[in-house]
Amino acid sequence: MPSSPALPTGRVRTTAVLVLFVATFMDLLDTTIVNVALPAIQQDLDATPSQLEWIVSGYVLAFATVLITTGRLGDLYGRKRVFLVGVTGFTIASAMCAFAPTAEVLVAGRFVQGFFAATMVPQVLSIVQVLYSPKERAGVLGAFGAVTGTAAVAGPLLGGVLVTYDIAGLEWRSIFVINLPIGVLLLIGGARLIPETRSPHRTSLDLPGVALASIALFSLAFALIEGRPKDWVWWIWALIALALVLLVVFFAYQRRIERAGGFPLVPPRLFADRGYTAGALTSLAFFGSIGAFFFVVTLYLQVGLQFSAIDAALATVPFSVGAFVASGAAVPFIDRLGRRLVTVGLVLFVAAVAWFGQTVNHHGNDLGIADMIGPMALGGVGLALSAIPLIDVALANTDVSDAGAASAVLGTSQQVGAALLLAIVGVVFFETVGVNYTPEGLRDGLLAGLWVPGIALSVAAIGSLLLPGVEAVRRHKEEAEQAAEREYAETVGQAV
């Protein structure tokens, strides 16, 4: 078998990874940057409350439904090729959003953005795993974590600056225009620097599974988001019923493919392990709660209390600071505490949501940025303590041969949770507010909406008690390191 062309090393390899990380940063930025621009978008495009929800959830819903499939496309047809297709589509979709004449066009653009974000993002870590041996990856993956953490902080702040100071007279549109030059540079850098690689293992695409899952999730999200403005007419309930039926059909179909020796989108065997099932549900509820929390908080601060976009963004900075500080502190305790660290983090996040609600209720219209420092910082600490060990703990009882599929399903569950909990919190928030867009009415909407992430996080905390223990985590890490060494040797020895 012919050997592969020499992979880049030195500065070329470092620059190639930088290109990949910038693409990841751009995706995460567009996930968080939109929230602070929602009131400006609503005013400029006369967007309805449901359209505001779609502007956020359309992105994550599209991302979730194709994430696993696009990862396999890279394995089959070349990760560099699929990555560049994703960057091209994302850049074009950003232009579509930036110059959208109506809210409907903007919503469509966000769906397209989410689709192409899911096309480029799975290739990033796959390419990194080819460029670096397992022994070299620790520093690179640490840098990757820093990139994701920075994006979480930078998104709201950058959005706040762009909207508040009306950069280049573009108002909210600048949050999408900024992607255009970055996308062009990524295309040039990616084409020149990133090597082409494919998976050495046989795989296939489960397109019927993608169709079933996509229709089911879209139907459920559509019914939840559009139910209130449509006054919950009969066909809304029919859509919810259809979504549930399609989900049952989807899992039955996945089981049939697996029994036939095929490659299902979501392998049912993964859920035979109670710990993994608990991890998937915990991940869905936990990560979904983050978006739901910040959606209602941002709307209340900007629409109810007339915070500027930059002030609303600054109010969330303690959350990011708390997460950053706790991230470094949590790492040494992962192997010693395991699932208990996840549970502690979730309990702290629940306490932070309750504290925030109490703070809003106490201060009313006099609420200021300083009043929110405590609960926001505690929420960030809870986020870090839960998020950092969660994936490792959830995968602890999973066979290492299934690690890739199991990780992809967990990633998808996070995005599905974000889309569905955003839809649910929108129902609660806007049903409570009704037509009463006064500070008092919006405060009532916020306090009602906070129950959604509060309950979801509480369920996640209970579910985390079923996660695998510390010994399973340690054993799985050792097996995964050995498998990674074999995978790396096999991958770089294949023709690409």
Side-chain angles (χ1 to χ4, degrees), residues 411-425:
T412 298
S413 73
Q414 295 171 13
Q415 303 297 326
V416 169
L420 294 182
L421 282 179
L422 183 68
I424 293 170
V425 82

Side-chain angles (χ1 to χ4, degrees), residues 36-395:
V36 295
L38 288 177
I41 293 171
Q42 182 181 39
Q43 185 175 7
D44 185 38
L45 299 182
D46 195 25
T48 65
S50 61
Q51 286 170 334
L52 294 181
E53 291 179 71
W54 280 121
I55 289 167
V56 180
S57 64
Y59 185 96
V60 293
L61 190 61
F63 192 103
T65 53
V66 298
L67 180 63
I68 298 175
T69 299
T70 51
R72 291 183 183 173
L73 283 173
D75 293 339
L76 283 169
Y77 300 109
R79 295 166 181 134
K80 172 182 177 177
R81 179 183 302 173
V82 175
F83 173 79
L84 294 177
V85 168
V87 172
T88 302
F90 188 89
T91 305
I92 294 171
S94 296
M96 181 179 176
C97 293
F99 304 109
T102 64
E104 290 82 1
V105 174
L106 179 56
V107 168
R110 289 288 286 170
F111 269 98
V112 179
Q113 258 196 327
F115 176 87
F116 283 106
T119 303
M120 66 180 182
V121 167
Q123 319 313 324
V124 172
L125 288 180
S126 295
I127 295 172
V128 167
Q129 289 173 344
V130 174
L131 293 179
Y132 291 86
S133 71
K135 294 179 180 178
E136 297 177 299
R137 289 176 196 163
V140 182
L141 295 179
F144 181 80
V147 167
T148 59
T150 303
V153 179
L157 284 177
L158 181 59
V161 169
L162 292 174
V163 175
T164 300
Y165 297 107
D166 192 14
I167 305 299
L170 292 168
E171 298 180 334
W172 62 267
R173 297 177 188 274
S174 58
I175 69 173
F176 299 111
V177 171
I178 197 173
N179 291 336
L180 305 186
I182 297 174
V184 172
L185 291 175
L186 285 174
L187 278 173
I188 297 171
R192 290 174 60 89
L193 298 168
I194 297 173
E196 185 60 281
T197 62
R198 295 179 178 84
S199 171
H201 302 298
R202 183 175 67 91
T203 187
S204 64
L205 299 177
D206 178 16
L207 296 181
V210 173
L212 283 169
S214 300
I215 296 171
L217 292 173
F218 179 81
S219 298
L220 185 56
F222 184 90
L224 291 172
I225 292 174
E226 296 293 335
R228 188 192 62 83
K230 298 292 188 295
D231 201 24
W232 301 102
V233 295
W234 67 269
W235 57 265
I236 290 289
W237 294 106
L239 272 180
I240 294 175
L242 173 66
L244 297 178
V245 170
L246 287 177
L247 286 174
V248 172
V249 173
F250 168 75
F251 282 107
Y253 176 71
Q254 298 296 282
R255 188 173 297 278
R256 193 179 80 178
I257 292 179
E258 186 176 73
R259 287 174 176 170
F263 296 89
L265 188 68
V266 179
R269 65 180 176 277
L270 295 174
F271 298 98
D273 171 45
R274 185 187 69 177
Y276 181 80
T277 303
L281 294 176
T282 299
S283 183
L284 185 150
F286 170 48
F287 286 97
S289 299
I290 301 168
F293 175 75
F294 281 107
F295 180 76
V296 293
V297 168
T298 302
L299 283 179
Y300 172 66
L301 294 180
Q302 290 188 252
V303 180
L305 299 184
Q306 299 298 304
F307 276 38
S308 66
I310 185 63
D311 285 340
L314 287 172
T316 67
V317 168
F319 188 95
S320 301
V321 172
F324 179 79
V325 172
S327 295
V331 172
F333 295 100
I334 293 175
D335 289 338
R336 281 184 280 174
L337 296 178
R339 68 184 177 197
R340 285 177 289 178
L341 192 60
V342 177
T343 304
V344 168
L346 289 167
V347 170
L348 290 179
F349 204 162
V350 172
V353 172
W355 185 5
F356 186 86
Q358 179 59 34
T359 300
V360 170
N361 197 42
H362 175 73
H363 290 282
N365 296 345
D366 296 324
L367 182 72
I369 294 176
D371 302 318
M372 294 179 271
I373 292 175
M376 282 290 179
L378 183 64
V381 171
L383 169 73
L385 296 183
S386 301
I388 290 177
L390 180 55
I391 302 300
D392 282 343
V393 175
L395 296 177

